Amino acid sequence: MLATLTTAALITVSPMLWGSEGNNEENFFIKTATGTPAAETDFTEAAKNTIDCVVSIKSFATPRQQSISPFSDPFFEFFFGPGSGGSQRRQQESKPRQLGLGSGVIIKEDGYIVTNNHVIEGAEKLEVTLNDNKSYNATVIGADAATDLALLKIDAEGLSAITFGNSDDLKVGEWVLAVGNPFGFTSTVTAGIVSAKARSIGSATHSRQMGIDAFIQTDAAVNPGNSGGALVNTRGELVGINTAIYSQTGNYTGYSFAIPTSIVQKVITDIMKYGTVQRAVLGITFIELTPELKEQKDIEAPVNEGIYVNSVEDMSSAKEAGIESGDVITEMNGTKVRNSAEMQETMSRLYPGDKVTIKLYRGKSVKTVTTTLKNSQGNTTLTKSTDFTALGCAFKKVPDKTKSQLGISGGVQVAGLKAGKFKDAGITEGFIILTINDVPVNSQSDVEQIYNEIMRDSSPNKVMFITGLYPTGKRGYMAVPLAEEE
């Protein structure tokens, strides 16, 4: 007798397959299913609760086109000097053009929207379109390249804000929906299941661009334009922000990845409260424990998963806790850390100053240690981001006469100096800035652009390294820290 397939994809097999008719011997090879049909799954309520909370985001930037003068012959420049006779390539500005298309999720009724950093990166203008086709210009409140998250604000009230769910409660095999704007098709809903949690994709993509590598993996179809959109459970609660796909073509081929809300909430809360993300560090370098590593290094710990400590930094939280090279960490604050993704996800929720209890193996012995986490500067201070006005000055063009006297071709001059970051760093009125972080500057907009890039960068070292000249021609080198201690 052939097997029969029920609605739950379960198999029933007659004993006739294994013996003569009427043989009642127990079947040791095939389990007989009950044939209970699967519960009906309805996604309509989840979709209804989500689509008005998801927006389309268009980014615009002005392309820079270069034109070459007919006098650009190198022999002409040899006789008359670089840039002479119009030989220097000139930039021609045109109108802003659409740079990219992505999605975002409304998290507050007064217009706060979370999206991916790569959706808004490099944009001069951001246009947000709601599900009812109303459009608004958006302002970037803050962004974090390490987690690929950004917070935007539009001038609107009474919006449909999404309800946050707990990504920790997600189970592998659970249904989820991806909501976004793939290829510009607005309010598109796709369904899939959670394929894995705390998934690291750096090794699969041979890329470690993101500082956090602990994603929710699903098989819900996600394509270009879905970035920054919502991943929700069957109750319509946000459990992740769709971020990446695993593809060799650039389009969906089976798996997609979302940043879990456990990380999203921490990052967005930090941006709203401090203007920058607060990160705690333990002070170790590590690799994942594997059977191959155990054999290679003759590790005696009676586990096959965990974090193998390669080295411990001086004056770090790990050093103070007595953690040593060769230890194998298996738990932090009661949460298992079986791989680097789980380690990163656990650390991403913690702040400098937080106490953490760590379970580890040293040889065959298990130990528990407690320590207070620090920031990258080696203390427990929280930092607060500043805005451009915190520099405490304006910038003007260097007069041509001054350029000629000093033998320079560019730079900006500090003007209207008052109390602020520049004055605190020892910069004086009239100082000529030539480069900031090795980037030449020629206008106030250049300085502001570099400032914004520093503040958006995931690095905790938010500093302007300035080279320049005093009006006398004396060279000057300054470091201007931009973050403020809380």
Side-chain angles (χ1 to χ4, degrees):
M1 182 181 292
L2 295 176
T4 58
L5 193 64
T6 71
T7 55
L10 301 175
I11 298 175
T12 57
V13 178
S14 166
M16 287 177 61
L17 187 62
W18 304 103
S20 60
E21 189 171 352
N23 187 344
N24 292 323
E25 289 184 7
E26 185 178 358
N27 175 7
F28 292 99
F29 302 97
I30 299 294
K31 290 184 178 180
T32 303
T34 60
T36 305
E40 184 180 355
T41 303
D42 187 350
F43 302 136
T44 56
E45 282 301 311
K48 179 182 176 182
N49 293 338
T50 307
I51 56 174
D52 287 336
C53 306
V54 177
V55 303
S56 170
I57 301 174
K58 293 179 182 178
S59 61
F60 296 85
T62 304
R64 299 288 195 266
Q65 295 180 343
Q66 293 182 324
S67 64
I68 304 176
S69 166
F71 298 102
S72 59
D73 190 295
F75 289 100
F76 190 93
E77 292 197 345
F78 178 82
F79 287 106
F80 296 95
S84 60
S87 65
Q88 187 176 9
R89 297 190 177 202
R90 298 188 303 270
Q91 289 185 335
Q92 295 179 334
E93 293 190 3
S94 58
K95 293 181 179 179
R97 296 180 184 175
Q98 186 171 329
L99 186 67
L101 175 68
S103 304
V105 183
I106 301 170
I107 59 171
K108 293 189 70 178
E109 295 179 355
D110 56 351
Y112 284 94
I113 296 166
V114 64
T115 185
N116 287 141
N117 178 66
H118 75 258
V119 169
I120 59 96
E121 192 171 23
E124 297 172 0
K125 175 187 173 185
L126 294 168
E127 182 181 287
V128 169
T129 303
L130 307 185
N131 193 42
D132 61 5
N133 287 328
K134 290 181 180 178
S135 292
Y136 301 85
N137 289 330
T139 302
V140 178
I141 302 300
D144 182 56
T147 53
D148 196 22
L149 291 170
L151 181 65
L152 311 182
K153 177 73 168 65
I154 61 174
D155 188 13
E157 297 287 343
L159 302 179
S160 297
I162 203 159
T163 300
F164 271 74
N166 188 349
S167 57
D168 290 345
D169 292 339
L170 277 179
K171 294 179 175 62
V172 174
E174 182 177 339
W175 281 105
V176 284
L177 307 181
V179 186
N181 305 281
F183 305 115
F185 296 115
T186 57
S187 306
T188 296
V189 180
T190 56
I193 62 168
V194 176
S195 304
K197 294 179 64 178
R199 174 70 80 197
S200 171
I201 62 175
S203 57
T205 60
H206 305 291
S207 170
R208 292 304 299 267
Q209 292 181 350
M210 298 181 187
I212 300 298
D213 202 9
F215 297 93
I216 300 168
Q217 179 184 325
T218 81
D219 65 353
V222 171
N223 280 293
N226 272 111
S227 289
L231 185 73
V232 300
N233 58 25
T234 52
R235 295 182 296 277
E237 299 167 340
L238 185 72
V239 291
I241 296 295
N242 295 313
T243 296
I245 57 177
Y246 181 61
S247 171
Q248 295 178 337
T249 64
N251 297 329
Y252 174 78
T253 55
Y255 294 110
S256 54
F257 301 90
I259 305 166
T261 51
S262 60
I263 293 176
V264 175
Q265 286 181 292
K266 162 71 163 53
V267 170
I268 296 306
T269 299
D270 283 359
I271 289 174
M272 294 184 74
K273 188 174 181 179
Y274 305 105
T276 187
V277 180
Q278 310 295 321
R279 289 192 169 89
V281 291
L282 183 57
I284 62 172
T285 62
F286 63 87
I287 52 178
E288 293 181 8
L289 183 68
T290 62
E292 294 78 14
L293 184 67
K294 285 189 68 174
E295 184 177 352
Q296 177 188 343
K297 292 186 175 290
D298 195 24
I299 299 169
E300 296 182 318
V303 290
N304 289 317
E305 296 177 312
I307 298 299
Y308 177 80
V309 179
N310 250 340
S311 63
V312 179
E313 297 175 8
D314 290 340
M315 299 188 299
S316 65
S317 301
K319 192 82 169 181
E320 293 177 357
I323 296 174
E324 299 176 0
S325 174
D327 288 348
V328 177
I329 296 173
T330 57
E331 288 185 17
M332 295 184 68
N333 284 349
T335 300
K336 291 186 182 299
V337 285
R338 292 164 291 195
N339 50 51
S340 60
E342 291 183 346
M343 178 78 169
Q344 288 178 345
E345 186 172 5
T346 300
M347 288 296 298
S348 70
R349 308 180 193 193
L350 300 170
Y351 288 86
D354 283 353
K355 287 189 175 182
V356 61
T357 300
I358 299 170
K359 178 182 175 182
L360 58 84
Y361 283 91
R362 183 169 297 161
K364 297 180 180 179
S365 302
V366 64
K367 294 175 65 70
T368 301
V369 299
T370 302
T371 189
T372 300
L373 297 175
K374 299 179 180 180
N375 58 29
S376 62
Q377 307 301 315
N379 58 58
T380 59
T381 304
L382 300 180
T383 58
K384 191 169 184 179
S385 178
T386 60
D387 60 29
F388 186 66
T389 60
L391 299 182
C393 65
F395 304 91
K396 66 180 183 180
K397 289 185 177 181
V398 182
D400 291 339
K401 183 179 179 181
T402 304
K403 288 182 182 179
S404 179
Q405 290 173 344
L406 298 175
I408 58 176
S409 59
V412 292
Q413 198 162 26
V414 174
L417 187 68
K418 57 183 181 181
K421 298 291 183 183
F422 269 37
K423 192 170 185 178
D424 292 344
I427 295 176
T428 57
E429 183 84 14
F431 183 78
I432 298 169
I433 299 173
L434 299 177
T435 68
I436 300 176
N437 293 4
D438 294 326
V439 179
V441 293
N442 294 290
S443 65
Q444 175 158 319
S445 63
D446 288 344
V447 179
E448 190 165 1
Q449 182 178 351
I450 293 171
Y451 172 89
N452 290 334
E453 288 175 357
I454 293 171
M455 299 311 293
R456 290 181 185 179
D457 191 84
S458 58
S459 171
N461 302 314
K462 300 187 183 303
V463 181
M464 281 184 167
F465 294 103
I466 294 174
T467 63
L469 296 171
Y470 292 95
T472 60
K474 179 185 176 182
R475 283 199 168 269
Y477 305 90
M478 284 88 170
V480 182
L482 301 180
E484 291 183 348
E485 294 186 353
E486 184 71 2

